[in-house]
Amino acid sequence: MRILYIASGIPVPGSLGGSTHTLEVARGLVDRGHELHVIACQNEAALQLTHLMKPTSTQHQGIFLHYVDIPKAASLLTLPTIVRLARHLHPDIIMERYYNFAGCGVIAAHRLGIPCLLEVNALIVDPPAVRKRRIDDALGGPMRGWAVQQCLWADRIVTPLHTTIPPEIERAKIVQLPWGAAVDRFGTDRIGSPASATQTHPDVSSDSTNHKRPIVVFLGSFRAWHGVIELVRAADSLLTAGHDVQFLLIGDGPERVAAEQLAKHWPEHIHFTGAVHYEQVPELLSQAVVGVAPFNTEAHPALHSAGFFWSPLKVYEYMAAELPVVTTDILPLNEVVRDGIEGMLFREGDVAGLATAIARLLEDPVAARLMGQRGRARVVANFSWAKHCEELELLMMNMLLSGCDHPVI
């Protein structure tokens, strides 16, 4: 198939989650023999009028990239460019990443009679507690109306959880499909031994006497709903109780300053890397013995309202790295990580329960290693990007065979 994949305002390659997602999906489909044309940006900081009129095209890892540098909020301005490119390429399928102010791919597919797949990884209609929703309601609901229209025009919708899609959209066109992990880049047998990886951050794994401490790792964007504050409080509890352990917190974001302040009494035990390149993540995870994902939906009204619709990439990556995972006992996290099989679960927001779960894994390293091994086997079989792209390919082929098309306008 020739696929036009639209990721307006997303830098590809890039360090954002959307950048990784777009690149992994495109690369996975190329590996399956398809021709991928991706509309993305190199620099979303400013509107580039020359690129808006004519994209800059290049190739990256077998993918045809067409750069239109424009802020995400102005994505609809790219409609003439995307329609022209679609007319030129004659794609079999147009796939678009959903965004509030996007939709050019859906419009182009509707106009040109091309089957359309809408990729949704967030709640399309926010709950009333979200300010954006209240503003939209006050204006008469134009954003909700456009969101629903995109869903109506799309032939199929791919999302990790069907509750992201407004209830008026027929469920038959929604396909629940989790995102994945690049499993071939993780695992100590693929990237070298933990001992060699430790040399990158020698202060993380040993004290002045070169005593090796087990490392508990957190990877995330340090947003409130990632639970980093709860993790630091649990770490404080464990360290106060005498556990000789280190905590490696990878990433950056709004909660980092508060987390560092809480951790200031344990400078030799709690370490913050700041933002790192995605390529460094496998090596950093290889140092650890436990991966922690203490999500707390109370801090995210949309997640709390619709369920945990984010596909938990950090959980998949921990599992790919053969780490037992400690995460929150909510759907669908407790279906990915089964309590006592691939890791340990704790009640949402329960700091003491989080500390207990970590302690149980630290106190039984043999059982922890077995959980990590089972976790890797599970993520390879069910939650890899390769698996995601295999399912995506099957869905697209079925769309073409079933004649998902429209009259050309």
Side-chain angles (χ1 to χ4, degrees), residues 4-8 39 75-76 78-83 86 91 93-120 124 145-158 165 169 173 399 404-409:
L4 178 57
Y5 185 13
I6 298 166
S8 297
I39 294 181
S75 295
L76 284 170
T78 66
L79 178 59
T81 302
I82 289 175
V83 170
I93 296 272
I94 291 180
M95 180 166 67
E96 181 167 24
R97 285 179 57 88
Y98 173 81
Y99 175 64
N100 296 127
F101 302 105
C104 291
V106 175
I107 297 173
H110 185 69
R111 287 187 181 181
L112 302 177
I114 300 170
C116 177
L117 180 63
L118 187 62
E119 188 182 67
V120 177
I124 282 185
W146 175 227
V148 170
Q149 186 60 67
Q150 290 183 66
C151 293
L152 291 172
W153 277 346
D155 295 291
R156 295 289 185 274
I157 302 168
V158 170
I165 311 303
I169 304 302
K173 71 161 54 179
M399 288 171 63
C404 287
D405 57 10
H406 314 277
V408 178
I409 297 176

Side-chain angles (χ1 to χ4, degrees), residues 37 95 259 282 332 362:
H37 292 262
M95 180 166 67
L362 293 174

Side-chain angles (χ1 to χ4, degrees), residues 87-349:
R87 288 186 187 276
H88 173 72
L89 292 174
H90 299 290
D92 298 296
I93 296 272
I94 291 180
M95 180 166 67
E96 181 167 24
R97 285 179 57 88
Y98 173 81
Y99 175 64
N100 296 127
F101 302 105
C104 291
V106 175
I107 297 173
H110 185 69
R111 287 187 181 181
L112 302 177
I114 300 170
C116 177
L117 180 63
L118 187 62
E119 188 182 67
V120 177
N121 57 9
L123 189 62
I124 282 185
V125 179
D126 291 315
V130 176
R131 183 169 178 266
K132 184 173 60 177
R133 164 70 182 275
R134 296 197 299 271
I135 293 173
D136 189 52
D137 287 346
L139 295 173
M143 290 179 64
R144 177 185 174 86
W146 175 227
V148 170
Q149 186 60 67
Q150 290 183 66
C151 293
L152 291 172
W153 277 346
D155 295 291
R156 295 289 185 274
I157 302 168
V158 170
T159 182
L161 193 63
H162 73 90
T163 53
T164 60
I165 311 303
E168 55 263 51
I169 304 302
E170 59 177 313
R171 302 293 101 175
K173 71 161 54 179
I174 302 169
V175 178
Q176 290 194 161
L177 185 60
W179 311 147
V183 296
D184 57 326
R185 297 177 209 165
F186 293 84
T188 55
D189 59 328
R190 289 161 176 78
I191 57 175
S193 68
S196 65
T198 302
Q199 295 173 7
T200 306
H201 296 274
D203 61 325
V204 170
S205 64
S206 60
D207 59 17
S208 58
T209 65
N210 205 34
H211 170 64
K212 299 292 181 182
R213 297 187 178 108
I215 296 174
V216 175
V217 69
F218 168 90
L219 171 66
S221 59
F222 283 63
R223 298 182 185 278
W225 58 275
H226 280 228
V228 66
I229 298 300
E230 287 91 337
L231 174 58
V232 173
R233 287 174 175 154
D236 177 75
S237 173
L238 289 167
L239 293 167
T240 300
H243 286 271
D244 192 18
V245 60
Q246 301 224 45
F247 293 84
L248 179 62
L249 283 71
I250 305 169
D252 202 355
E255 297 289 300
R256 181 179 169 187
V257 172
E260 288 180 327
Q261 183 66 22
L262 282 174
K264 66 181 181 180
H265 300 299
W266 303 102
E268 294 187 0
H269 290 268
I270 304 178
H271 304 267
F272 297 80
T273 67
V276 302
H277 291 293
Y278 178 67
E279 291 76 12
Q280 294 177 269
V281 171
E283 182 178 342
L284 289 168
L285 294 190
S286 76
Q287 302 181 44
V289 297
V290 176
V292 184
F295 295 112
N296 189 342
T297 63
E298 288 285 350
H300 194 300
L303 284 176
H304 195 63
S305 171
F308 196 90
F309 50 77
W310 293 114
S311 207
L313 297 186
K314 69 158 65 76
V315 171
Y316 299 150
E317 290 175 349
Y318 293 157
M319 294 168 76
E322 295 188 12
L323 298 180
V325 180
V326 176
T327 192
T328 312
D329 189 8
I330 57 175
L331 287 169
L333 298 175
N334 54 15
E335 294 179 337
V336 176
V337 177
R338 297 167 294 182
D339 194 34
I341 301 177
E342 293 88 20
M344 305 296 297
L345 303 175
F346 71 98
R347 183 169 53 85
E348 186 174 24

Side-chain angles (χ1 to χ4, degrees), residues 4-32:
L4 178 57
Y5 185 13
I6 298 166
S8 297
I10 300 292
V12 178
S15 59
L16 302 179
S19 306
T20 299
H21 179 112
T22 302
L23 188 58
E24 294 291 354
V25 169
R27 184 159 42 199
L29 290 170
V30 166
D31 288 345
R32 299 191 66 82

